[in-house]
Amino acid sequence: MTTDIARQRQSFEHALAKLRAGEYARAASLCEDALLSFPDDANTMCLAAKAYLALRQFEQSERYVKEALRRFPDFAVAHDVHGDLMLATGRARPAVAAYEQAVRLDPARPATLAKIDRARQAVAAGGAVSNDRKTPKTRMAFAAEISEAESLQQAGDVNKAEDIYRNILKKDPDHVEAARLLAGIASLNKRFREAEVFLLRATSLAPNYARAWVDLVDAQREQEKYDEAIESAERLLALEPNKPESYMVHAGVLGVAGRHREAIASYRKTIELAPQKAAAMCGMAHHLKTIGEPEEAIRQYRACIAAKADHAEAYWSLANLKTFRFEEAEVAAMETLIREGGLPDEALSMLHNALGLEYEARGDFDAAFANFKSCNTLRRRQESYDPVDTEATHDRVIRFFDETRLGQCVSAELHPVPVFIVGLPRSGSTLIEQILASHTLVEGTHELSDLSKVVRRYRSHRNEQFPQTLDGLKPEGWARLGREYLESTRKHRSGAPFFIDKNPNNFVFTGLLKLAIPNAKIINARRHPMDSCLGSYKQLFASGQPFTYDLTELGEYYLQYQRLMEHWQRVVPGFVLDVHYEQVVADLENEVRRILDFCGLPFEEGCLNFHETRRAVKTASSEQVRRPIYSSSINIWHNYENHLGELLHILKPLLAELPDENHPEPGEQM
């Protein structure tokens, strides 16, 4: 029996491989041979139907799919293939019904959901996805080609699928679905501008095609074209005002555009239409947290968990408030979810991180560290980070931006004046940002990605690596780079004479900024090396910072960061202001005055009362900076010393230069 099953499976996989390779006749022949030996194999019947469909031998395809449906009426794949056949032969309404039945039988079929959208569009277009000028034969051919391309794409052969879609558009430039699917491949490859072009064409040809509007919102949002994306989302709402998914799309783009209260309103509408929509509750809670309404955020996170007990992101988000404590039942629920398994690594890492923060608050530092370590082990598998590449990049930066190059102040002052807060994550940068954003002349934004994007535009013209891509820039070139950065950040600003860019990774661009925006202000947020590294190790970042999930890599990265900051202090002395978190906590007023003097700003009392400033704060420290200054985060690394041996060893040269009270406890090895 086992041998027959193995042979049956081998026959099916052989035929499937031929189908994916585009050898449709061979695939059909292999299916027929297999069915002689295994006449009850529903999978092979459906595969035969797909092979004949690709060959456009519709009668043969229909014979196999009908036999599969007759003998296995509850087999979702058979209904899916039946839908393909109906759509290929111009029968769009039966195709919709077949696809919907496939999803009812097997809800976990995202590809079938996409086919439903395409079939509905075909209904709206009069029975075919192509325009009505084409003959039925041509329309059927295109439907079969699209089905073939989708199969190739699902099998991982994106290039062949893309060729098919492009070939369809050559024959029929007005083919809506081919344009949308080609846009999907462009987005997959991060060619979002190209995707937008195809989707604008699709929505102009089929203005009632909701799925195309959803895809257009995504493509525009990825390019940070927020006004256009919001307009597209509003078109979607007008088309489908009673669908919760429409409001989810609308809320999502409003949120990334910084229109948090409007996003909250759209999430509330989603929940009105779908009361158990956990993702809407979690999304709304994120924005409530951002605008400083933690109590309501907590209620929504808990409602999310009540609706979906394994919603790990909601647990993690509660812990990430940093001021929240779980109840015993919630801790037990998280531990049960981990113990039972079955969740993806991303969810497990969130649960471990949440438990780590909770156990730390309870003073159980061994349990806390065990969970942080489990979280980071899982997350490190998902990250791509090369410490050798980091060192090589810093070597190039140090060689390129030497005293000779930086001694030439080639650009005029630009306005508004950007204030860059750089350094390592979890080193007090949000506190500095909140202090400055409390000044009437300063606008707080968030961690902007604009500078690196502007620099990449120069890289795209050559094969060299940064900063060699900038070699040969004349004075006007550096000035243009600075102006491009200010223009790019315009969407985040509302007119204040100073604005903050709090992306910590911008420290690598200090030399570039000296040449492009010589009046820029750069503040280096510093903290005890061990507290800085431990703070990063404990934080599960939404994206980026791949060096933070391994203690060795984290320590080595800190040394590289320190080396580069020391270089800037040598070659552009006074251009960067070091601000130590511990000193801000110990002497707030004098440190605030020092920061404001460096920026050329007059002193304002509001900067001392930063915790009273009402503004959106997106970082993990959002709730902490809404409290008066506190010292409980200083030297917290001492609680974990017995777990940090490798980090202590790597940072030994730096620690030896610190005061005695900042050294490891007696008995610990440096």
Side-chain angles (χ1 to χ4, degrees):
M1 184 66 177
T2 303
T3 302
D4 285 346
I5 292 173
R7 285 179 50 231
Q8 181 179 346
R9 183 66 188 172
Q10 186 178 27
S11 298
F12 173 80
E13 290 181 349
H14 189 194
L16 178 62
K18 294 299 180 183
L19 182 72
R20 288 175 173 172
E23 299 178 30
Y24 307 128
R26 181 60 177 152
S29 176
L30 288 170
C31 286
E32 290 186 345
D33 290 345
L35 287 169
L36 292 174
S37 301
F38 309 105
D40 298 325
D41 187 345
N43 280 306
T44 301
M45 290 181 200
C46 292
L47 191 63
K50 291 186 76 169
Y52 281 116
L53 180 59
L55 290 165
R56 299 171 196 156
Q57 296 181 23
F58 300 120
E59 290 184 6
Q60 286 286 78
S61 178
E62 188 169 11
R63 178 168 67 87
Y64 280 107
V65 79
K66 281 188 172 180
E67 180 66 9
L69 288 169
R70 183 184 70 79
R71 298 179 63 178
F72 308 99
D74 295 330
F75 187 37
V77 174
H79 290 278
D80 187 280
V81 177
H82 185 217
D84 292 345
L85 175 64
M86 293 297 98
L87 194 60
T89 52
R91 291 171 281 181
R93 291 186 187 279
V96 172
Y99 290 141
E100 288 178 340
Q101 180 62 10
V103 172
R104 278 193 289 271
L105 292 168
D106 181 7
R109 299 185 67 82
T112 307
L113 291 171
K115 292 178 183 180
I116 291 174
D117 283 339
R118 180 157 57 86
R120 286 175 177 163
Q121 172 59 21
V123 172
V129 176
S130 303
N131 66 38
D132 288 335
R133 291 176 294 163
K134 301 297 176 182
T135 64
K137 181 177 181 181
T138 305
R139 290 200 298 268
M140 290 188 296
F142 287 158
E145 288 173 24
I146 283 180
S147 179
E148 174 191 348
E150 287 180 323
S151 296
L152 288 167
Q153 196 168 342
Q154 291 171 32
D157 197 340
V158 176
N159 291 335
K160 281 188 178 179
E162 182 174 2
D163 289 343
I164 291 172
Y165 297 140
R166 289 189 183 278
N167 190 48
I168 292 172
L169 287 173
K170 285 179 183 177
K171 299 173 185 175
D172 180 4
D174 294 345
H175 198 292
V176 172
E177 189 64 359
R180 188 187 73 80
L181 292 168
L182 190 56
I185 290 178
S187 291
L188 188 68
N189 291 302
K190 301 189 182 302
R191 304 194 308 266
F192 299 111
R193 176 56 189 149
E194 179 183 334
E196 183 187 15
V197 170
F198 285 121
L199 291 163
L200 286 169
R201 176 67 173 163
T203 52
S204 69
L205 291 167
N208 296 327
Y209 190 11
R211 178 60 183 269
W213 286 108
V214 172
D215 293 350
L216 179 57
V217 171
D218 290 341
Q220 291 169 332
R221 183 176 63 186
E222 289 290 345
Q223 298 175 79
E224 298 184 355
K225 293 183 175 181
Y226 298 136
D227 290 343
E228 294 92 330
I230 290 168
E231 184 179 343
S232 297
E234 288 169 350
R235 293 291 300 271
L236 174 67
L237 281 177
L239 279 175
E240 297 187 330
N242 297 315
K243 281 197 171 183
E245 291 76 13
S246 300
Y247 288 92
M248 286 288 287
V249 171
H250 188 232
V253 70
L254 285 169
V256 297
R259 293 162 60 172
H260 304 290
R261 295 189 183 278
E262 294 171 78
I264 290 167
S266 210
Y267 279 125
R268 289 194 192 281
K269 183 63 178 177
T270 304
I271 295 167
E272 286 179 21
L273 295 170
Q276 295 300 305
K277 191 80 169 177
M281 299 169 195
C282 193
M284 180 165 64
H286 291 338
H287 293 289
L288 287 163
K289 167 195 167 184
T290 297
I291 65 173
E293 296 186 16
E295 293 82 7
E296 180 60 19
I298 289 168
R299 281 192 287 272
Q300 290 300 328
Y301 284 133
R302 281 180 159 153
C304 172
I305 293 167
K308 192 175 187 299
D310 63 351
H311 203 290
E313 184 181 354
Y315 279 115
W316 172 71
S317 298
L318 283 166
N320 206 35
L321 289 168
K322 301 296 194 297
T323 56
F324 172 84
R325 298 280 69 82
F326 287 107
E327 296 176 358
E328 288 296 337
E330 292 169 323
V331 172
M334 285 189 283
E335 290 179 333
T336 298
L337 287 170
I338 291 171
R339 186 169 58 252
E340 289 179 346
L343 292 176
D345 283 356
E346 183 179 11
L348 290 172
S349 63
M350 287 181 175
L351 292 171
H352 276 299
N353 190 260
L355 286 169
L357 293 170
E358 179 63 25
Y359 282 123
E360 178 180 84
R362 296 180 179 195
D364 189 345
F365 299 108
D366 289 339
F369 190 85
N371 276 284
F372 290 137
K373 185 174 182 179
S374 294
C375 163
N376 289 349
T377 299
L378 291 165
R379 180 59 179 268
R380 183 63 183 88
R381 296 174 190 163
Q382 304 167 35
E383 296 288 350
S384 176
Y385 175 66
D386 182 357
V388 175
D389 181 64
T390 296
E391 184 174 359
T393 298
H394 288 196
D395 285 343
R396 293 195 304 272
V397 169
I398 289 170
R399 286 194 301 268
F400 186 88
F401 291 107
D402 57 13
E403 288 181 278
T404 301
R405 190 185 299 271
L406 293 173
Q408 306 166 3
C409 188
V410 297
S411 299
E413 292 188 353
L414 296 177
H415 297 277
V417 178
V419 181
F420 295 90
I421 303 176
V422 303
L424 260 68
R426 307 299 297 156
S427 294
S429 58
T430 305
L431 174 59
I432 298 171
E433 178 195 36
Q434 186 76 349
I435 289 169
L436 278 168
S438 300
H439 198 286
T440 56
L441 299 179
V442 183
E443 181 172 7
T445 57
H446 54 92
E447 296 184 6
L448 307 181
S449 59
D450 297 77
L451 184 55
S452 60
K453 288 180 179 178
V454 168
V455 173
R456 280 199 296 272
R457 291 177 200 160
Y458 289 78
R459 182 182 302 180
S460 65
H461 299 303
R462 313 180 190 181
N463 295 321
E464 297 99 329
Q465 296 173 299
F466 175 81
Q468 276 66 37
T469 47
L470 306 175
D471 197 15
L473 275 186
K474 304 300 182 187
E476 175 52 32
W478 290 107
R480 184 176 65 252
L481 193 156
R483 291 195 300 270
E484 286 178 9
Y485 167 76
L486 287 183
E487 180 60 32
S488 178
T489 58
R490 184 189 296 274
K491 57 185 172 290
H492 305 293
R493 301 186 272 108
S494 58
F498 291 77
F499 73 96
I500 302 167
D501 183 338
K502 200 185 77 68
N503 189 325
N505 302 328
N506 281 336
F507 71 87
V508 75
F509 297 127
T510 298
L512 177 154
L513 290 169
K514 177 63 175 174
L515 296 172
I517 314 176
N519 59 319
K521 309 300 179 182
I522 302 180
I523 298 174
N524 180 28
R526 302 295 304 270
R527 192 177 178 189
H528 186 291
M530 292 297 292
D531 274 339
S532 181
C533 290
L534 179 63
S536 291
Y537 189 73
K538 294 190 304 176
Q539 182 63 45
L540 181 60
F541 295 95
S543 62
Q545 318 304 359
F547 59 88
T548 62
Y549 302 109
D550 178 274
L551 285 174
T552 298
E553 292 175 343
L554 183 52
E556 291 173 346
Y557 187 92
Y558 191 97
L559 293 179
Q560 290 300 319
Y561 149 76
Q562 177 73 8
R563 180 168 72 107
L564 193 51
M565 296 314 298
E566 288 174 352
H567 172 73
W568 300 133
Q569 294 291 5
R570 284 193 303 271
V571 295
V572 280
F575 189 58
V576 179
L577 178 71
D578 283 350
V579 176
H580 293 264
Y581 174 75
E582 294 83 0
Q583 292 175 10
V584 175
V585 171
D587 190 359
L588 177 63
E589 181 170 347
N590 281 329
E591 286 299 301
V592 167
R593 289 182 181 277
R594 194 168 73 95
I595 292 168
L596 296 178
D597 285 345
F598 174 76
C599 294
L601 291 164
F603 176 77
E604 290 184 359
E605 288 285 342
C607 295
L608 297 178
N609 301 316
F610 61 86
H611 55 282
E612 297 176 358
T613 300
R614 301 292 295 177
R615 56 180 287 266
V617 183
K618 292 186 176 182
T619 67
S621 303
S622 61
E623 288 310 302
Q624 293 166 303
V625 298
R626 293 184 176 118
R627 299 160 55 196
I629 204 83
Y630 58 92
S631 61
S632 57
S633 292
I634 294 176
N635 282 331
I636 197 171
W637 65 276
H638 282 305
N639 297 313
Y640 295 94
E641 277 192 48
N642 60 325
H643 298 289
L644 301 177
E646 57 190 297
L647 186 59
L648 285 164
H649 178 72
I650 292 169
L651 297 180
K652 180 179 178 179
L654 297 182
L655 298 177
E657 299 173 3
L658 298 176
D660 291 343
E661 63 269 21
N662 291 325
H663 288 175
E665 296 292 343
E668 291 293 335
Q669 294 297 314
M670 282 182 59

